[in-house]
Amino acid sequence: MIRKFIWGIVLGLSFLALQSCTGEIKVKSHSTQESVTDNRPVKVEKVSLAQKKSFLCYPGTVSASQKATLFFRVSGPVVSIHVKAGDSVKSGQTLMEMDERDFKKRTLYLEHQIKAAQARLLSMKTSREEDIRILEKNIQASRTRMEKAKLDYRRYSQLFQEKATPIDVYEQARSAYQVYDAEVAAMEEQLNKAKKGAREEDLMAAQAELDALCVQHEIALDQLKDTKLVAPFDGIITERFLEKHEMATAGHPVLSMMCLSTVEITISIPEKDMALFSAERKTGYKVRICPLGDSLNEAYLYEWKASADPTTRTYSLVFRVDQDKSMNILPGMTAEVSGFAVSQHVDNIAVPLSSIISTQGQSGKLWVMDMGKKMASLRNVTLGNFYDDGRILILQGLSDQEWIVTSGAKFIREGQILNILESQIKG
């Protein structure tokens, strides 16, 4: 009896367990049916061959945007020096001074010479009445002497013909008459000249002499100004070549300076990369100054050479960076210029990482969408390297222009009707 009772209990428990399993299977089957018919929203994307952008970076060296070696245009002893290496200067600031005494004297001498030449020219252009009156009186006196000499000459000529006077007295009377006659003629010509003024060629010569003196005076003023050496632009003094009281020679360097408000970075680009370079693009470049850390500075293309270096076969490009007070970029520092985007077509498809639902080694699975049936099918693909912007390359298993599920891929099943978000369709 006890054995029959025990077997009855076992059979009853088994029956209850079987009923429980059957109910669970029905529930799961009902749940699966609901999942298949559910219009789950998903995002999709049309795939295409990838276009990869490579960002190239080139090393370079910093230099000043402006450099100058300063010298005097005249020679002389230096009497004042106002700067030393490392000093900041402004455009027009006096840096050195030379002894200017000789140049001042030269300027003053030429000013007096100009005044004398102006007076001579004025006297040639105008006649003074008192001078004319003096000339007229002198002519009158000379005519009186000439008339007396003429009478004496006639008388002695008559006596000489009669052999009543010696020949030497006759010759003396004739010479006196000729001298006074020539004197009167010269004075009359001088009087006519005084009344008419100087000849045109004489006036031109006098004017040319005055003009030449004026030019010499301007040169002297420039030389006087050149005794002071001034800064041609804002910058920093980098070197001084002589000291106070030393003799400065015209054209010989005395100071050097540079401008660091804007610096230049010169790089060399290989000819294979230069073929992809666009000279029309002036901005959008970044410069990292290596000794100053990883911070990037905005740079712009200033100039470039259209011919390659015959030895290195590289092209030289110069970029400029505008410094502010917080920056301390100095010549000679090493730098890196970036921002050279080079587009390259890749013979593979790149898909978002969110579309891959599982991976094993280089194999992966994703959902390929049938846009007509609004259903997705699971497909095995071969994975490649990671790509830009959170994507991965697909080497095999997917064709160009197919549609894939990019969002919600892990929650869908085979044969499920999907609700595509139209605003998210790409391609």
Side-chain angles (χ1 to χ4, degrees), residues 26 36 100 102 112 139 234 247-248 280 374 378 423-424:
K26 290 180 180 180
V36 171
E100 61 181 14
D102 293 341
H112 292 312
I139 289 174
D234 295 352
M247 191 71 177
E280 299 299 324
K374 305 295 183 182
L378 195 61
S423 60
Q424 298 295 327

Side-chain angles (χ1 to χ4, degrees), residues 253-382:
V254 295
L255 288 173
S256 63
M257 64 177 295
M258 62 176 59
C259 175
L260 296 180
S261 60
T262 299
V263 294
E264 294 182 349
I265 297 89
T266 302
I267 64 173
S268 297
I269 295 184
E271 57 185 3
K272 66 180 182 64
D273 296 341
M274 195 63 183
L276 303 173
F277 168 72
S278 175
E280 299 299 324
R281 181 185 168 210
K282 302 296 183 182
T283 58
Y285 300 95
K286 301 288 185 179
V287 171
R288 183 177 77 88
I289 307 301
C290 299
L292 303 183
D294 295 328
S295 61
L296 297 177
N297 304 285
E298 293 289 337
Y300 58 92
L301 179 64
Y302 177 66
E303 64 180 7
W304 64 286
K305 291 184 178 179
S307 58
D309 183 280
T311 304
T312 63
R313 304 307 304 168
T314 58
Y315 293 82
S316 176
L317 276 71
V318 179
F319 295 85
R320 282 192 169 185
V321 175
D322 296 326
Q323 290 205 77
D324 55 34
K325 293 182 179 179
S326 64
M327 302 166 70
N328 191 29
I329 305 176
L330 298 176
M333 289 183 173
T334 55
E336 291 180 351
V337 180
S338 59
F340 298 88
V342 181
S343 297
Q344 296 177 336
H345 288 283
V346 180
D347 294 332
N348 297 113
I349 294 169
V351 300
L353 290 173
S354 60
S355 64
I356 306 297
I357 61 173
S358 66
T359 60
Q360 184 176 3
Q362 280 192 315
S363 297
K365 293 183 178 182
L366 51 73
W367 291 99
V368 179
M369 190 71 188
D370 186 333
M371 297 300 288
K373 297 180 180 180
K374 305 295 183 182
M375 299 174 63
S377 58
L378 195 61
R379 186 180 297 181
N380 293 322
V381 293
T382 303

Side-chain angles (χ1 to χ4, degrees), residues 186-244:
M187 287 186 175
E188 287 177 345
E189 184 178 352
Q190 189 175 0
L191 178 61
N192 291 332
K193 184 178 180 180
K195 290 180 178 180
K196 295 179 180 180
R199 294 178 302 174
E200 183 177 357
E201 56 268 30
D202 294 335
L203 291 174
M204 292 176 62
Q207 183 65 54
E209 180 184 357
L210 176 60
D211 294 341
L213 289 172
C214 290
V215 173
Q216 292 181 36
H217 182 252
E218 291 178 0
I219 294 174
L221 289 175
D222 290 339
Q223 291 176 340
L224 178 60
K225 183 180 178 181
D226 290 337
T227 58
K228 291 181 173 59
L229 187 65
V230 299
F233 51 81
D234 295 352
I236 296 176
I237 302 299
T238 57
E239 194 170 358
R240 194 172 75 190
F241 301 107
L242 84 170
E243 301 297 329
K244 185 177 179 181

Side-chain angles (χ1 to χ4, degrees), residues 84-104:
K84 61 183 181 298
D87 287 350
S88 296
V89 296
K90 295 292 185 180
S91 177
Q93 179 179 335
T94 300
L95 308 177
M96 283 187 177
E97 295 183 61
M98 183 183 292
D99 189 352
E100 61 181 14
R101 291 176 297 176
D102 293 341
F103 299 96
K104 281 186 174 180

